[in-house]
Amino acid sequence: MKFAVDWDKCSGIGICEALAPDLFEVNVDGKLELLQGTELPDDRIAEIESAISGCPTSALSKRI
Amino acid sequence: MQKRTEALVVVGASLAGIRAAEAARAGGFTGSITLIGDEIHPPYDRPSLSKKFLEPAVDADAIHLTTTEELEAKQIQLALGERATYLDTAAGVVGTEAGEHHYSAAIIATGSAASTLPWGNDLDGVHTLRTLEDARVVRKALDSGARTVIVGGGFVGAEVATAARKRGLPVTIVEAATVPLVRAVGNEMGSALARLHERNGAELLCGIGVAGLRGNGRVHTVELADGREIQADLVVVGIGTRPATGWLEGSGLVLDDGVVCDAGLRSSVDGVFAAGDVARWTNTLFDQPMRIEHFTAAAEQGRWVGRQVAGHMPNEPFVAVPYFWSDWYGDRIQFVGVVTDDHEVVEGDLDSQHFVTLFRRNGHVVGALTLNGQRQIMKYRRFIADRSAFEVAVAYAASKRLAIATREA
């Protein structure tokens, strides 16, 4: 599945990192780093959906 | 899992409530879902009210948590502007000012209410900051160049001070305790964070209470308990909150600073759950009951109880590492876990722009507070979630210092 980041909304709050630390990491500048990109196998869908709905600034979204 | 084709009533249409309703539907609940809220607005993001929303010209739609289309697609009915007045657990009814809602499962997500001062509430310019209406008025006052006095040195107050200073406006924070944020982060850390105010041009007065507010239609003076007077065009009252359980008196639910729940967010009555600010549950990760007023708790607990209603994980505990963040004058404060008296600064130092402090209980790391530690905070959260030995987290901090030192060598 694919997802997108709205970089204007992302402020590095880190809930995505808490949910899936091998996919998301807030770096030393306080910015989000995507450790495995934005296209992931289907077995990660549940975690990505949790990250999408858990983001306090709605910076993550599904991509078709 | 049995799929119940009955009626879910969620009382409280903010973050916990909407997440619960969505999760019940997504989890396979096929009955009716009704989301009742006493505010007229569809669910919106309350933490934004002291953050993004106080910036000039932000529009209310930007903070909504869902859309009419999404609610229709998920067949979630909204009953807005409807205050819940009683819960009849024998009959399975939530009573509101407008009527009755029958339920087979109910989720209490009525949140908390801002405490107010005993006087001054009849004056213009005196506000708690809890609702969209409050935030609009506060923002307008800041846009007009208000001289602000904030009563209470908590996080909401500090965020309003941040918004005032961002506009270059004068602001004074009056905190009754000698140190702010003692319950949230402890005495020493509270002092360290308090220094951020003076560093950024906000005046902080500690160990002094407010004795009265004076005005002529609109507030103009704050009277302190020691006789001093401060001029103010805007007074924001951030002195604490209380869980909204008054309407549940006599319902049969056990109430004690919130709706008392077991480890799975189940109330004392079958079929009734609680989530968000109103829920006091046993967090087995810390072996203690707690009630958390954070964004993440509302979202995660709401989602959890929604899934429970849909028949998932009936006997599992809801386990969480509490987390909050707050942005003060461009610096970010983050905290995970719980606070104890036994703590150690393991990165940076308390007078600098960056530090990490770890909290210990029974040899384990149970909490972490960071200032501008966005890179580290979730690593420490992991140690806490794993119940790591304190030394393990300290060693991690040391290894980071070594890595940085080596890079800089």
Side-chain angles (χ1 to χ4, degrees):
Chain A
M1 64 108 55
K2 305 178 192 179
F3 68 93
V5 183
D6 182 335
W7 296 104
D8 289 332
K9 291 184 176 171
C10 174
S11 74
I13 290 166
I15 285 164
C16 52
E17 179 180 340
L19 290 167
D22 64 326
L23 302 180
F24 304 101
E25 184 173 16
V26 179
N27 69 18
V28 69
D29 302 315
K31 299 264 175 267
L32 176 64
E33 258 179 50
L34 300 170
L35 302 178
Q36 295 185 38
T38 58
E39 285 187 38
L40 293 158
D42 288 349
D43 62 351
R44 309 304 304 262
I45 283 183
E47 288 158 278
I48 307 281
E49 285 179 347
S50 291
I52 289 171
S53 88
C55 177
T57 59
S58 305
L60 298 176
S61 58
K62 260 191 199 160
R63 228 180 356 131
I64 315 296
Chain B
M1 300 286 158
Q2 245 184 319
K3 290 201 177 146
R4 309 184 64 180
T5 54
E6 300 185 76
L8 168 62
V9 172
V10 181
V11 191
S14 192
L15 180 59
I18 184 62
R19 291 290 180 251
E22 290 168 344
R25 189 61 83 207
F29 186 79
T30 52
S32 66
I33 299 179
T34 308
L35 183 56
I36 304 172
D38 66 343
E39 290 187 69
I40 57 168
H41 311 287
Y44 62 86
D45 179 38
R46 204 175 300 284
S48 284
L49 297 181
S50 58
K51 303 173 176 38
K52 177 173 81 179
F53 197 77
L54 290 186
E55 290 172 21
V58 172
D59 133 61
D61 283 343
I63 66 167
H64 280 302
L65 293 172
T66 186
T67 63
T68 321
E69 292 72 23
E70 282 176 15
L71 291 166
E72 267 167 34
K74 294 167 188 177
Q75 292 185 280
I76 295 170
Q77 303 276 93
L78 281 188
L80 297 177
E82 198 174 320
R83 175 172 291 271
T85 51
Y86 67 87
L87 176 71
D88 181 340
T89 56
V93 166
V94 171
T96 73
E97 288 169 334
E100 291 186 340
H101 298 265
H102 289 255
Y103 67 82
S104 58
I107 295 172
I108 311 297
T110 41
S112 51
S115 301
T116 53
L117 292 171
W119 9 250
N121 302 300
D122 50 330
L123 293 172
D124 284 344
V126 178
H127 296 279
T128 50
L129 182 48
R130 192 76 199 161
T131 65
L132 188 50
E133 285 76 12
D134 296 333
R136 281 188 171 132
V137 175
V138 168
R139 185 175 71 194
K140 190 155 176 244
L142 291 174
D143 286 345
S144 308
R147 200 231 175 276
T148 307
V149 170
I150 294 166
V151 184
F155 286 101
V156 170
E159 290 175 0
V160 175
T162 295
R165 290 306 299 147
K166 194 162 180 185
R167 290 169 168 80
L169 298 173
V171 56
T172 300
I173 300 169
V174 182
E175 165 57 55
T178 46
V179 172
L181 302 174
V182 173
R183 253 190 353 195
V185 298
N187 209 295
E188 197 186 351
M189 296 304 122
S191 297
L193 295 179
R195 294 199 271 276
L196 290 173
H197 294 301
E198 299 286 346
R199 254 185 242 165
N200 288 278
E203 184 182 28
L204 173 66
L205 304 175
C206 287
I208 188 76
V210 172
L213 300 177
R214 285 201 330 262
N216 193 354
R218 184 170 192 88
V219 67
H220 55 58
T221 304
V222 176
E223 299 170 345
L224 300 183
D226 64 357
R228 274 183 291 174
E229 294 187 344
I230 316 176
Q231 265 200 297
D233 309 303
L234 172 67
V235 175
V236 178
V237 179
I239 56 176
T241 51
R242 277 190 276 264
T245 54
W247 70 285
L248 292 165
E249 300 285 344
S251 64
L253 289 189
V254 174
L255 306 172
D256 181 5
D257 184 40
V259 174
V260 175
C261 298
D262 65 8
L265 291 166
R266 288 172 289 257
S267 79
S268 56
V269 173
D270 237 13
V272 179
F273 302 79
D277 290 10
V278 82
R280 171 168 285 279
W281 99 108
T282 298
N283 190 348
T284 55
L285 180 60
F286 300 94
D287 290 323
Q288 66 180 84
M290 54 179 70
R291 187 175 67 79
I292 305 181
E293 296 186 359
H294 306 146
F295 175 96
T296 48
E300 290 167 7
Q301 290 178 16
R303 189 161 179 273
W304 177 271
V305 299
R307 283 173 61 73
Q308 289 263 314
V309 165
H312 299 274
M313 312 156 308
N315 295 310
E316 279 176 38
F318 173 76
V319 175
V321 179
Y323 168 48
F324 69 81
W325 73 95
S326 191
D327 294 332
W328 293 14
Y329 315 110
D331 289 319
R332 175 161 287 174
I333 296 164
Q334 289 164 294
F335 182 85
V336 285
V338 297
V339 154
T340 59
D341 291 327
D342 183 4
H343 57 263
E344 209 174 295
V345 179
V346 297
E347 286 188 43
D349 72 78
L350 297 181
D351 287 307
S352 73
Q353 291 288 99
H354 167 74
F355 65 77
V356 174
T357 300
L358 300 182
F359 298 82
R360 168 175 32 204
R361 178 192 288 160
N362 297 332
H364 300 281
V365 58
V366 292
L369 171 69
T370 63
L371 178 65
N372 296 317
Q374 290 93 320
R375 171 85 166 81
Q376 295 94 323
I377 187 71
M378 291 307 173
K379 276 77 174 177
Y380 290 109
R381 180 192 171 282
R382 200 73 188 282
F383 289 124
I384 294 163
D386 291 344
R387 295 195 197 222
S388 300
F390 193 75
E391 289 68 36
V392 169
V394 173
Y396 171 80
S399 73
K400 288 286 131 189
R401 276 200 305 276
L402 186 61
I404 291 167
T406 315
R407 271 208 301 279
E408 289 172 355

